[in-house]
Structure formats: C-alpha cells, structure tokens
Amino acid sequence: MSPSNKIAYHARSISLPTRSNPLTAAVEEQLSKLRSSVLTSSISNNLVALKDLYECVEDFLSTEDGKCLDAVLDRSVMLLDVCGTIKDVSSQMKQSSQDLQSSIRRQSNEFDAYMTSRKKVCKVIQKCLSDLKKNTNKNNDLINDVLKEVEATTLAVFESILSFLSAPKQRSLVSKLATKSATQQVVNEVTKVDAALKSKVIEAKEVQKSLADLEMNLQELEDGLESVFRCLIKNRVSLLNILNQ
C-alpha cells in the first residue's frame, strides 16, 4: 500500500467512537479534518493541520493515566526523529538546488554533483520509509485509541512527504487528486529536475527555472516541518511535566 493510499485508508476505515469529553472531541475533530484534507490540500496545509492537531493533543494528555503517557512518551522520540530526518532531507535538497543554480550561473554546470547528492538523499529517504513501515506496524495496548490514531495519522503524513520527495515514477493517488496543490508542485518540480538532468541534452535555462520553483516549494515545506517539530518537542515536554508531577 502506497503512503498516499494508506492515508486514504485511514480516512475511510477508522471511525472513532463519540465521547462526551470535550478535550477528546477536540482531538477527534482535528483528526477528522486532517484525514479529510489529505486528498485535497497541499503538504503545507496538511502540516498546519498536523500542528493544530498536536496543540489539541497537549490539552488532552492531562486526562490520561501514567501508563498510557509513559508509552506515548517512548513513541514521541520516534516521531521527533522522523520529523528531523525529513527536515534534514528537505534542507539538503534545497542546498543542492542552490548549489546547482550557482554553478549554472557560473556556467560550470555541475550536474553530476547534484545527481550524486540526489542519490544519497534518496537512500536516506528509502531507509526512513522502511523504518516508518516497521513503526507503523507496532501496536501498544497501553495507548488509547485516540492517541494511537494521532500517531498513525502523523506517520502517514510523514510517509507521504518522504514519498513525494523521492519523486516516484508514477503519481500517487494523492497527487492525482490534488493536481493544483503545492504537494503536486513539489512532486512535479523534483521529477522535472531529475528528468532534465538525466536527458541526453540538458537545457540549463529550463533546469534553472525548475530548480528555482523546487527551492521555493522546499522552503515552504521546511517552514511547515519546523512548526510541527516544535509542536512535537512541546508535546514531549508536556508529557514529562505531567509524569513528574
């Protein structure tokens, strides 16, 4: 199952029971919004929705028992690691794009250096995707259904971003449906640059334009990831504070 299909699967198959607790209801509402927006919104919008979700989760944590929070705390390290890896990948891709643009302006056209960096990035992405699948399959009976779904949705969003940045040859379900979104723009620009540099005749001006577009989209992605990363850190600090009371 592709990352995008996995998100769609969550959106269709998971229906959390209605609860009277207003804090629970707030988290479930944000989960519902995020799941329903994945197929129609951009990556940046989904990251904003993820940030909003964790802001609700922070209040919700105070209603849970110690065993549940201990388990969530253990899993929070994994989420931070994944988010940090995606940030690093995006940053490295942006730097490579800037370096190649500079070389084109100098007419040194260091295309091979970009492709070498690209291959290294793709290896990191594939390893992270493999690790994500292992983590997705893990289950912990100590964590309640709402927090399990928060983690599952977070991992699905992260997985989709990694898949987009790896520039798969075939468009995913999400990118097919969200043709006007920034998500699709990132996919297209990554693919455009890769394809242009692999062609027999490389048009430097066309590559430079695609690189500029890619850099702009990657910057937007980085900004969204930074906001989510800060929320994850704040969430972990809140967990520690509650457990130490």
Side-chain angles (χ1 to χ4, degrees):
M1 183 180 293
S2 70
S4 54
N5 285 337
K6 183 175 292 184
I7 298 175
Y9 172 80
H10 281 304
R12 291 193 304 267
S13 65
I14 295 179
S15 178
L16 297 172
T18 302
R19 297 174 176 82
S20 58
N21 188 327
L23 294 177
T24 303
V27 173
E28 290 177 349
E29 181 181 358
Q30 290 299 328
L31 275 170
S32 179
K33 287 180 180 179
L34 181 54
R35 289 195 300 261
S36 63
S37 71
V38 168
L39 294 178
T40 56
S41 294
S42 65
I43 283 179
S44 58
N45 285 343
N46 286 330
L47 287 172
V48 169
L50 195 58
K51 178 180 73 70
D52 292 342
L53 171 62
Y54 273 93
E55 288 176 351
C56 288
V57 168
E58 187 170 355
D59 293 329
F60 174 75
L61 292 174
S62 61
T63 67
E64 296 304 298
D65 62 46
K67 289 183 179 180
C68 172
L69 295 183
D70 274 329
V72 174
L73 183 66
D74 289 340
R75 301 287 287 172
S76 69
V77 176
M78 177 270 296
L79 294 176
L80 279 167
D81 285 345
V82 174
C83 189
T85 297
I86 301 174
K87 283 177 57 186
D88 290 343
V89 165
S90 178
S91 179
Q92 187 172 343
M93 287 179 65
K94 188 177 73 172
Q95 184 61 54
S96 295
S97 174
Q98 291 171 339
D99 291 344
L100 182 52
Q101 288 181 78
S102 295
S103 76
I104 291 174
R105 287 192 292 269
R106 297 193 307 269
Q107 297 185 336
S108 57
N109 298 344
E110 297 169 3
F111 302 129
D112 289 343
Y114 177 89
M115 293 306 296
T116 298
S117 175
R118 185 84 180 98
K119 288 178 181 178
K120 290 179 180 178
V121 163
C122 284
K123 286 183 179 180
V124 173
I125 291 174
Q126 292 308 315
K127 183 181 184 305
C128 192
L129 283 170
S130 177
D131 291 342
L132 267 185
K133 289 177 182 178
K134 295 175 184 177
N135 280 304
T136 301
N137 293 329
K138 287 184 178 180
N139 201 355
N140 192 322
D141 293 335
L142 295 176
I143 302 176
N144 73 22
D145 290 342
V146 175
L147 292 176
K148 282 180 183 177
E149 180 61 7
V150 169
E151 181 183 300
T153 303
T154 303
L155 289 176
V157 171
F158 286 166
E159 188 175 353
S160 70
I161 296 172
L162 286 166
S163 295
F164 292 149
L165 293 178
S166 68
K169 293 181 180 179
Q170 294 184 345
R171 290 193 303 166
S172 65
L173 174 62
V174 170
S175 64
K176 286 178 181 178
L177 294 178
T179 55
K180 294 183 180 180
S181 70
T183 297
Q184 179 65 10
Q185 290 170 13
V186 172
V187 177
N188 281 342
E189 298 311 332
V190 172
T191 306
K192 281 181 183 178
V193 174
D194 286 356
L197 295 180
K198 290 176 182 177
S199 64
K200 292 182 179 179
V201 179
I202 299 176
E203 296 290 341
K205 288 185 178 180
E206 290 185 13
V207 172
Q208 194 166 23
K209 182 181 183 305
S210 293
L211 285 168
D213 292 339
L214 174 60
E215 183 183 342
M216 180 178 65
N217 283 296
L218 288 174
Q219 182 60 56
E220 187 176 353
L221 174 60
E222 277 190 67
D223 292 342
L225 286 168
E226 181 61 30
S227 294
V228 170
F229 190 76
R230 289 178 182 176
C231 278
L232 290 173
I233 291 176
K234 189 177 179 182
N235 188 258
R236 181 170 169 78
V237 170
S238 295
L239 282 166
L240 289 168
N241 288 338
I242 294 171
L243 288 169
N244 289 331
Q245 286 179 355

